[in-house]
Amino acid sequence: DFLFVVEIGFSFFTAYYDENSILVTDRKRIFNKYVTSDFLFDLPMAVPLSLIAWASSSQVKAWLRLPKVLRLHLVYKHWHKSNTNVQGQNMLQSISRLLFMTLAVSHICASIFLFLGRFGSPGWLSRGFDYGAHFEDHVWQNYLVAFYVVFSTFSTQGVVGELTPSTFQEVLLAFFLMILTITLFAYVLGEISSLIMKADDEVAEARGKQAVVENFIKSKRGITEEIADEVRVYAHNTSSQGHDVDLDGIYKLMSHSLQVQVAQCISRDFLDDVPLFKDCTPVFLDSLSVLMREAQYALGDTIFRANEVSKHLYIIVSGAAERWLEVEDEDPLLDGKSIAGQCVGDLSFFFGMRQIYTCKTVA
């Protein structure tokens, strides 16, 4: 009881998250929030009725601790919170939550059945029964029998040995347990089916992500097997943290060091032969190789047109491209031809100006 009172005192100063996921630290708002919600349950639960009865020389009754049952509202809050976050749970957590729910319902029903046995007229404990041992007035032993009866009702027909419901209260409880059994069975079966379907979806999603990673590795010609294994491990760890893995974004999700290693196998050596970057440092070329993306064009495709502002610098790896100047009221004029190792679109890329020519592939 003392700990319950202390908890009420701390609750007046405990910050909380509002509906917008903003942490509320204002004491007035915390006070109003607690008084209008959990305080209505916590106050009756914290009143030490049994201690007051003992201090007043009155007979202490077990039902005086009945307000402690209000503590179940906390169980409901945690249960509701776990259900709202069920998508983030794994198989073990979901099964544990389901098992806890089943045991909690069984415990509550067993406590009610034990109450009827001890205080009923006549209760099932006073009628006597044979379980191979004589259970005297030991609450723990009687609770185990009550729990066994309730759990057996959930799993079988509801009649256990010589123990059958005889009083109106016991018949009413047995009827309630049978209805609860149907509901609980349907719920448990639905949850297990949902877990199996979720596991199948996760397996299919994992295989899809693995296929994306393999396609990424195959698309990067020249990558070594050692680097490929590092990419697979990194992509697996990244996807397990909830990040989406797709062919366009997998490279961005890698660490910078891994990006440099992949780029060194693909495009780093090629940059050493580009005249535009011949005086650049190796560190700059490493960073530049990470930013490079492969683009393929068919014969006769237009890479960019005149008067466009390009955000990309194009480095020709293989083939060739022609630069055409567009003159008003005249046919386009050939300005020149760029081959492998040369760049096109550099003026627009570096200075933000419009392209002065149209670039088309010719080989």
Side-chain angles (χ1 to χ4, degrees):
D1 294 335
F2 173 75
L3 293 179
F4 289 158
V5 175
V6 172
E7 183 182 6
I8 291 177
F10 278 113
S11 298
F12 284 109
F13 303 96
T14 303
Y16 67 95
Y17 287 96
D18 61 9
E19 60 276 4
N20 298 321
S21 299
I22 298 176
L23 183 63
V24 178
T25 57
D26 182 69
R27 292 187 177 182
K28 184 176 181 181
R29 292 184 59 185
I30 295 174
F31 178 86
N32 294 334
K33 171 72 174 179
Y34 180 63
V35 169
T36 56
S37 57
D38 294 340
F39 180 74
L40 301 177
F41 294 93
D42 294 343
L43 182 61
M45 177 186 60
V47 176
L49 296 178
S50 57
L51 183 61
I52 295 174
W54 175 80
S56 61
S57 301
S58 302
Q59 186 178 4
V60 179
K61 298 291 186 178
W63 61 265
L64 291 176
R65 301 191 63 84
L66 192 61
K68 307 301 180 185
V69 178
L70 294 175
R71 199 70 179 173
L72 290 175
H73 86 282
L74 293 179
V75 178
Y76 170 77
K77 288 177 60 177
H78 290 294
W79 171 257
H80 179 73
K81 183 177 180 180
S82 64
N83 279 338
T84 55
N85 195 32
V86 68
Q87 295 296 330
Q89 296 179 352
N90 55 32
M91 179 71 74
L92 181 60
Q93 290 175 326
S94 299
I95 294 178
S96 301
R97 180 176 57 87
L98 189 62
L99 180 61
F100 172 78
M101 184 272 296
T102 305
L103 293 177
V105 172
S106 301
H107 166 72
I108 296 174
C109 294
S111 299
I112 297 175
F113 188 63
L114 178 60
F115 178 82
L116 294 178
R118 297 187 65 185
F119 302 101
S121 181
W124 58 272
L125 287 174
S126 61
R127 295 197 302 270
F129 51 90
D130 183 14
Y131 273 87
H134 180 63
F135 291 97
E136 299 178 356
D137 193 19
H138 298 297
V139 176
W140 178 246
Q141 293 176 333
N142 294 334
Y143 169 77
L144 290 179
V145 174
F147 189 87
Y148 171 71
V149 172
V150 170
F151 213 81
S152 299
T153 303
F154 286 155
S155 57
T156 56
Q157 78 281 6
V159 178
V160 181
E162 300 177 357
L163 187 58
T164 57
S166 299
T167 65
F168 173 76
Q169 293 84 355
E170 293 177 1
V171 172
L172 187 63
L173 178 62
F175 180 72
F176 171 76
L177 290 178
M178 291 181 183
I179 296 178
L180 185 61
T181 299
I182 299 175
T183 306
L184 188 63
F185 176 79
Y187 177 80
V188 172
L189 186 62
E191 284 290 309
I192 294 177
S193 300
S194 177
L195 290 176
I196 295 176
M197 294 179 61
K198 180 182 177 182
D200 291 341
D201 292 340
E202 290 177 351
V203 171
E205 183 180 2
R207 290 177 178 174
K209 292 180 178 179
Q210 184 179 3
V212 171
V213 174
E214 294 301 325
N215 291 334
F216 172 81
I217 294 175
K218 291 179 180 179
S219 66
K220 305 302 180 181
R221 296 181 296 272
I223 188 172
T224 63
E225 188 62 29
E226 181 180 359
I227 301 300
D229 291 337
E230 292 187 26
V231 172
R232 293 187 183 99
V233 173
Y234 194 88
H236 173 73
N237 295 335
T238 303
S239 61
S240 63
Q241 296 174 1
H243 297 286
D244 293 332
V245 176
D246 53 49
L247 197 57
D248 296 329
I250 186 174
Y251 194 74
K252 298 179 181 179
L253 293 175
M254 296 181 187
S255 63
H256 181 73
S257 59
L258 186 56
Q259 289 181 356
V260 172
Q261 292 179 2
V262 173
Q264 286 177 344
C265 299
I266 302 172
S267 56
R268 175 62 178 83
D269 294 337
F270 173 76
L271 289 177
D272 293 331
D273 300 327
V274 178
L276 183 62
F277 307 118
K278 65 178 181 178
D279 295 328
C280 297
T281 63
V283 176
F284 174 80
L285 295 180
D286 288 340
S287 300
L288 182 61
S289 63
V290 171
L291 299 176
M292 294 179 63
R293 298 293 182 269
E294 181 180 352
Q296 299 181 359
Y297 294 90
L299 182 63
D301 284 351
T302 299
I303 300 177
F304 55 81
R305 297 184 180 277
N307 297 320
E308 292 181 349
V309 178
S310 178
K311 297 182 179 180
H312 304 284
L313 173 66
Y314 298 90
I315 303 174
I316 301 175
V317 177
S318 62
E322 291 181 342
R323 305 184 302 273
W324 293 87
L325 296 175
E326 296 187 2
V327 183
E328 189 176 357
D329 298 331
E330 294 184 14
D331 294 335
L333 300 176
L334 180 61
D335 180 63
K337 184 177 181 181
S338 300
I339 60 175
Q342 296 180 337
C343 303
V344 291
D346 46 347
L347 293 178
S348 178
F349 177 76
F350 288 117
F351 302 105
M353 57 184 295
R354 297 180 181 275
Q355 299 285 3
I356 60 175
Y357 54 83
T358 299
C359 186
K360 296 183 179 180
T361 57
V362 294

